[in-house]
Amino acid sequence: MTGAAPLIEDRRRPAPFGRRRAAVIDNEGIGAYRLLRCEDPAGPSPRPGQFYMLAAVQRWGAGAGERPFLPRAFSVMRAREARLEFLLEDVGPGTHRLAELAPGDELWITGPLGIGFTAPVDGRRPLYVGGGIGIAPLAIWQDEMRGGAALLGFRDRQHAAGAALLRDVSIATDDGSAGRRGLVTDLLEDELSSDDVRTVYACGPPAMLEAVRAMCARREVRAQLAMEVGMACGYGACFGCAVATRGGYLRLCLDGPVLDAAELESALVPGAGH
Amino acid sequence: MTGAAPLIEDRRRPAPFGRRRAAVIDNEGIGAYRLLRCEDPAGPSPRPGQFYMLAAVQRWGAGAGERPFLPRAFSVMRAREARLEFLLEDVGPGTHRLAELAPGDELWITGPLGIGFTAPVDGRRPLYVGGGIGIAPLAIWQDEMRGGAALLGFRDRQHAAGAALLRDVSIATDDGSAGRRGLVTDLLEDELSSDDVRTVYACGPPAMLEAVRAMCARREVRAQLAMEVGMACGYGACFGCAVATRGGYLRLCLDGPVLDAAELESALVPGAGH
Amino acid sequence: MIEFCGLSLAHPIVNASGTFDAIAARRCFGDEVLERFPFAAFVSKTVTVAPREGNPPPRLWETAAGLINSIGLPNKGLEGFLIEDLPRLAELPVPLIVNVMGFTPDEVASLVQEIGVRGEVAALELNVSCPNVESGLIMGSDAGETGALVARVRPLTTKPLIVKLTPNATDVGTVAAAAEAAGADGLSLINTVRGMALNPRSATPWLGGVTGGVSGPAIRAVAVAQVAEVAARVSVPIVGMGGVETGRDALDLLRAGASVVGIGTQSFRDPAAGTRVARELAQLRSVGPDRIAAGA
Amino acid sequence: MIEFCGLSLAHPIVNASGTFDAIAARRCFGDEVLERFPFAAFVSKTVTVAPREGNPPPRLWETAAGLINSIGLPNKGLEGFLIEDLPRLAELPVPLIVNVMGFTPDEVASLVQEIGVRGEVAALELNVSCPNVESGLIMGSDAGETGALVARVRPLTTKPLIVKLTPNATDVGTVAAAAEAAGADGLSLINTVRGMALNPRSATPWLGGVTGGVSGPAIRAVAVAQVAEVAARVSVPIVGMGGVETGRDALDLLRAGASVVGIGTQSFRDPAAGTRVARELAQLRSVGPDRIAAGA
Ligand SMILES: Cc1cc2nc3c(=O)[nH]c(=O)nc-3n(C[C@H](O)[C@H](O)[C@H](O)COP(=O)(O)OP(=O)(O)OC[C@H]3O[C@@H](n4cnc5c(N)ncnc54)[C@H](O)[C@@H]3O)c2cc1C
Ligand SMILES: Cc1cc2nc3c(=O)[nH]c(=O)nc-3n(C[C@H](O)[C@H](O)[C@H](O)COP(=O)(O)OP(=O)(O)OC[C@H]3O[C@@H](n4cnc5c(N)ncnc54)[C@H](O)[C@@H]3O)c2cc1C
Ligand SMILES: Cc1cc2nc3c(=O)[nH]c(=O)nc-3n(C[C@H](O)[C@H](O)[C@H](O)COP(=O)(O)O)c2cc1C
Ligand SMILES: Cc1cc2nc3c(=O)[nH]c(=O)nc-3n(C[C@H](O)[C@H](O)[C@H](O)COP(=O)(O)O)c2cc1C
Ligand code: FES
Ligand code: FES
């Protein structure tokens, strides 16, 4: 599928209507992350960059008895043979519950949702820039693109274990415990200095995305950003996932989560990140 | 302790202040019921007829994400060597959750609470009348009284398995699948016809308690009824467990759950039972 | 088939305004949405005269058994609605109810007139949960203001007029009675309950709009109370909503006095929730009351 | 030590009126209740002039993340309170705040006068808000009535007067401002939110009192909103309550503008909940804001 035309509908595979059950196959620790795999015989194969709304069938509303109440959004990290893979980090009640699921447990899933990445044009080569859990959608995209270098930033060595999920990686960590000490944007700066005939595909925390956006804008490098923001529904129903663009607010679940960096004045989305 | 003076404070063993954790020892099926045993090293030994407020430490608020929210009241069925036994039937979200607890799980318990039974006076002999799950407080009381006949009514054979928890029992079942076909009050009618020098101790559904109350009133047989009504707190804080007596409403958790039948105009408490 | 304000509905479950965007859902799920449309009528998100961007984000906060939203009624405005959205909403397999709100009686009048005249539109829902620009108070919290507004716009359309009440009022029953007296054909309630959350990091309000509205199971008991209160005061039919999750919850609102039940937040958890609730409701109604209690 | 309306409190956690009966708790738990008293002040259940039996049962219904109660203010009446309860409440190791309600201004006046004069009493809380009792219109939902009532009784005692507001009002801020202007020393909120449940078997109202009041986590977001709204309008200190379960919830109410936090329904789940919440709150306050967010 390399070189797919940038038509919107090529970037969106429609989802079956309504949530459906999906059996958990396994749930493996990868450093600081969990790789959650489930069956999805009824679903179409997603486009890279699309996401799913996930909830556990059992005990979604458990624990302290309050949250999680709504489903949570997760980028698909890989999809093959009617199986979906998600990468997640336990950062709150929803991800905590998903992180403890075991084979035999069930998920509610709705998806694929949103609009994914488009291939580079004009002979540019892809460059993936990921921060932390943001590596997830880059993995499936790198697969489909059949290559391209990945620059990945992590907090520390434990998180950097996630880098094994991509190929051709360069790593930076905040504490220098793996790869170069520093930020992934330091790697990006070097890379673009030596070769800027690139299209950048980035996913990560808001501050990282904003640095990538600004750097690419300065160098006139095209960039697509897979963004995150709190979502209640994931399919355009609640208008809760508004992101400010040059053209006004858009619903990230419907017109994203992948946005062209040129649409944004800033990628510093309020309320996102940890 | 046979022949304990009917002083209120002899019928109430005060509880440690605040809820405390109690490890589940086992949770055994007995016909249609569950016998739930837990450790309670910190608690005093309860008086027969007293109750505890129970909640699971984990997943109290789980399932559909709503109920159970408040703790639930359970009569103590036996207490020895710092272990408490409860008998319960799965009739709703709270009892359902308790019914699935396994060794190693933990309970929140508060108790013992309320006022228990008093021994017969004037040389009367005890007679226990239980309906369904209402056998629980009669078991510990029969132990302490060192005997006395028990008349027990159940829906069917499966429920009648609970009769094994008492001694000297006569059984009636609604469908005749165990013991005599009919109501426990038929057994009581026969028993009182042949010997009414008795004090009746009854626990069961409202309709049964009301029949017992009326029958005993007619024959001028003293009766103590262990009653049930919805409770939020169990320690007199919410005023939610009001039961109408000849002297006005009382808080069943504080001035019951064992009431002298003579105090009641009717034992048909609204909102109780299934 | 049930009859509601002159509309024939296949079952009593509709969506709550602003909680299901049929056009967006079609983009996400394709035409399966039309084939398996979960609601017996479709209620649009609120339309205002001028286009609105909506409130600054964040717009959502998850709370105990509920959600607080501060969306701020983003919409394309009257003209955008008529030109872009109405033709697509007309393709839905169910009657269309258009929800409108104005910041002045004149605005409401032009919304009612221009939307009411369109053949695609089966009925109008008047959202009166908006602040009066002069007094700052919510119009719908005052019986006098609500009655005057309804009386003013009632003659402007022949279509059924449903007035959507706010729960943030001292005396919803009196507001409802005033709306009925002024000519409302139906009432819908409850809208969201005013609520707020703080950012755990900064201790400032989390929502860009500062306060928001609570929806979901947390407000269900409030909905049952207000529907019962209003049903006791009026004889026009009621769309009951607020925290409905299951057929049993829908049944409770019907028993409290509603004729039709709206599903809001629950659709966020499952886009097809309306279908499930309608099915559960039909099942509950096909058994006797005792079986209902047992199956609860 | 914190200062609240002239009272010195060991920490900012008190009980919400009607959710902890210190006399009953002593019967259940013995003197351990005094030794480990969970609250920095004790607020009595509402006292009325005449004794009250309370509402017919059932009085409780469990709902999503909350409870609906229809208790109906059972109490021994003014005389019974003064003779039987006051001496025992005086034995508590903390200041005593007596909550009172009258069905007429005269009743309120005699309650304030006769209770305010007692040395055992540190402050009075005026319940103008109970939704369970049929007193016709609820006084506390109207700024004029509330202001007039407070002005009338203010001169009758030298003790601090806390006015407990109802959340079932269109405009709580204005009621609060009227209470302050009329001389209230403090305000407390929120009382329960009007709600209702149906008997699954009979489809009739479950509660003997027909409607009731919702409390617990379900109303927390409403409490935060109303406390913030009132704090923006008045300068007297506020007792914030509604759905507090953890120290983090208490912190939110303090950040929203309260000086003291009340624990209600949570005490039903654990009699010593007040102690835990006070401890959690102290821990949260001893760390920086970032650690607070992380530990939430
Ligand atoms: C399109 C998309 C794709 C995503 N892909 C992935 C992925 O592949 N892997 C992954 O791990 N994550 C992914 N995320 C993020 C993931 O959805 C969130 O981490 C998750 O929702 C967190 O839920 P939680 O309950 O664990 O944590 P929460 O407690 O919900 O915390 C998450 C953040 O939400 C905010 N927050 C805190 N409390 C509340 C509240 N009560 N209500 C609302 N917001 C609150 C805070 O900013 C907090 O830092 C994606 C998000 C989007 C939108
Ligand atoms: C002093 C005392 C001692 C008891 N001892 C025992 C015992 O030894 N063993 C035992 O099994 N049980 C005992 N019970 C009864 C036990 O407490 C109840 O069965 C239990 O509370 C049921 O909880 P649940 O969540 O399983 O069911 P619920 O769904 O709470 O159903 C129980 C009943 O409550 C009512 N109800 C239904 N929904 C609601 C609601 N939302 N809010 C309020 N009420 C509702 C209905 O009448 C229903 O039939 C005792 C009760 C008391 C008061
Ligand atoms: C995200 C969101 C957006 C809403 N937007 C509107 C709206 O535009 N117009 C309106 O009248 N009501 C709106 N509502 C209120 C709902 O229609 C409904 O009255 C309320 O959510 C209660 O129902 P629920 O508990 O089932 O969600 C909105 C509710 C939510 C949660
Ligand atoms: C069972 C019960 C009884 C109550 N009784 C009173 C009362 O007598 N007087 C009063 O002012 N408030 C009363 N309240 C209201 C509480 O004081 C408090 O305002 C409310 O419950 C909100 O707090 P919570 O969510 O922590 O329970 C009562 C609440 C409950 C749940
Ligand atoms: S998450 Fe609901 S509209 Fe995007
Ligand atoms: S259960 Fe709360 S007073 Fe009895």
Side-chain angles (χ1 to χ4, degrees), chain B residues 51 53 230-242 251-254, chain D residues 60 268:
Chain B
F51 69 96
M53 297 301 281
M231 291 185 174
C233 71
Y235 65 98
C238 74
F239 285 77
C241 59
R251 280 170 283 182
L252 192 73
C253 69
L254 197 64
Chain D
L60 302 170
F268 303 161

Side-chain angles (χ1 to χ4, degrees), chain B residues 6 22 35 38 63 65 73 92 108 132 144-145 152 155 173 195 207 211-212 246 270-271:
Chain B
L35 198 166
C38 69
W108 285 121
E144 178 161 318
M145 289 286 95
L152 306 180
R155 211 173 312 160
T173 53
D195 169 11
V212 170
R246 295 186 195 275

